[in-house]
Amino acid sequence: MSAQTYVSDLFSLDGRVAVVTGGSSGIGRAITGALARAGASVVVVARREAELKSTVEELTADGCRAAWVGADVGTGEGVRAAADGAVAAFGEPDILVNCAGVNLRPPMGDLGEDVWDTTMAVNLKAPYLLGQRFGPGMAERGYGRIIHVSSQQAHRAFVNSGAYGVSKGGLESLARSQAEAWSPHGVTVNTLVPGFVLTPLNARLQADPEKVESLAARTLVGRNGLAEDFAGAAVFLAGRSSAYVTGQSVFVDGGFSVH
């Protein structure tokens, strides 16, 4: 067996179906592209149709199988629409990536119930509902991979963590609960934990060059993250080679968390 064949077999996602929420922008788009190019049929779920179409057109031009579903996962109805549309495209998924998120960070004293409820609905409740929809089926079939995208704010408070940090802390706890329930049946559940990543979700903070520079200085590699930094980790956690990795928070942060 050649080295190329060995590596391909170890990390190939051929024959798998993946659903990626928030998959048309930032980290989600990078993960979508990585899973598709590793062989999975990918359904991208997001709100903005233009970005969805652009993502899918790019992938299909590269010979990948991809489809999109326009849905707002901030509501129960939107989550159901996303799930139904995803299944209609390629069938029940083997891989679920929860990357959709909102990043609303008013000062704690100004944090109202509206921001709290919106943040929890998108960042925490939607991953729970999608897990409830797809996790049992994955367990019944004996294979599944659920990947959540969390944040440093799940572990440390800075730049007005507020409701955002709470939601991401809950998301990592959700991953452990899902892992406890379904890993005995072949379903691994893990969380990717970014550092500060230069994506549209962080546009407000990127407007402050001094803050961006200070965050880069907190890493060990000397730079802030890029969306493509998550491609390899996502393919690993989505495939058979990660079968003994579950309930974990995997930091992809350039050493931010240990500096």
Side-chain angles (χ1 to χ4, degrees):
M1 177 183 293
S2 69
Q4 183 175 359
T5 300
Y6 175 77
V7 172
S8 178
D9 288 347
L10 193 61
F11 296 104
S12 173
L13 300 179
D14 284 346
R16 300 300 184 188
V17 175
V19 175
V20 185
T21 72
S24 63
S25 179
I27 293 173
R29 183 163 181 161
I31 290 175
T32 295
L35 300 184
R37 292 180 175 97
S41 300
V42 179
V43 182
V44 191
V45 178
R47 291 179 299 169
R48 292 183 285 271
E49 186 172 318
E51 292 182 0
L52 285 163
K53 287 182 176 179
S54 172
T55 302
V56 169
E57 287 171 0
E58 176 186 316
L59 293 174
T60 54
D62 282 350
C64 302
R65 295 187 76 212
W68 62 269
V69 176
D72 180 358
V73 297
T75 68
E77 181 180 344
V79 171
R80 287 188 289 274
D84 291 344
V87 172
F90 297 124
E92 292 287 330
D94 309 290
I95 302 158
L96 169 64
V97 181
N98 288 303
C99 194
V102 293
N103 190 7
L104 307 172
R105 300 206 209 172
M108 196 68 185
D110 298 329
L111 176 59
E113 287 188 38
D114 56 341
V115 170
W116 178 274
D117 291 344
T118 297
T119 301
M120 295 303 161
V122 177
N123 293 3
L124 184 55
K125 187 174 182 180
Y128 155 73
L129 291 174
L130 289 169
Q132 294 298 98
R133 171 63 179 81
F134 294 129
M138 293 177 180
E140 185 176 337
R141 295 189 298 275
Y143 183 95
R145 299 288 184 266
I146 298 176
I147 304 168
H148 303 299
V149 179
S150 179
S151 168
Q152 293 292 329
Q153 272 76 24
H155 301 269
R156 54 191 53 79
F158 60 101
V159 293
N160 291 327
S161 288
Y164 182 80
V166 177
S167 71
K168 293 301 187 177
L171 187 61
E172 295 195 22
S173 291
L174 174 64
R176 290 187 288 271
S177 293
Q178 292 172 327
E180 178 188 28
W182 298 322
S183 292
H185 310 286
V187 182
T188 67
V189 188
N190 294 287
T191 306
L192 290 173
V193 187
F196 181 69
V197 184
L198 302 174
T199 67
L201 191 66
N202 286 322
R204 179 178 59 83
L205 193 55
Q206 289 178 61
D208 184 344
E210 290 186 5
K211 178 60 70 173
V212 171
E213 185 178 345
S214 70
L215 289 169
R218 287 185 62 170
T219 70
L220 295 178
V221 300
R223 67 169 176 86
N224 290 309
L226 302 172
E228 52 263 37
D229 291 326
F230 295 83
V235 170
F236 166 65
L237 291 179
R240 69 177 183 86
S241 57
S242 62
Y244 203 57
V245 180
T246 194
Q248 302 301 308
S249 297
V250 180
F251 288 78
V252 183
D253 65 358
F256 185 104
S257 56
V258 297
H259 192 186

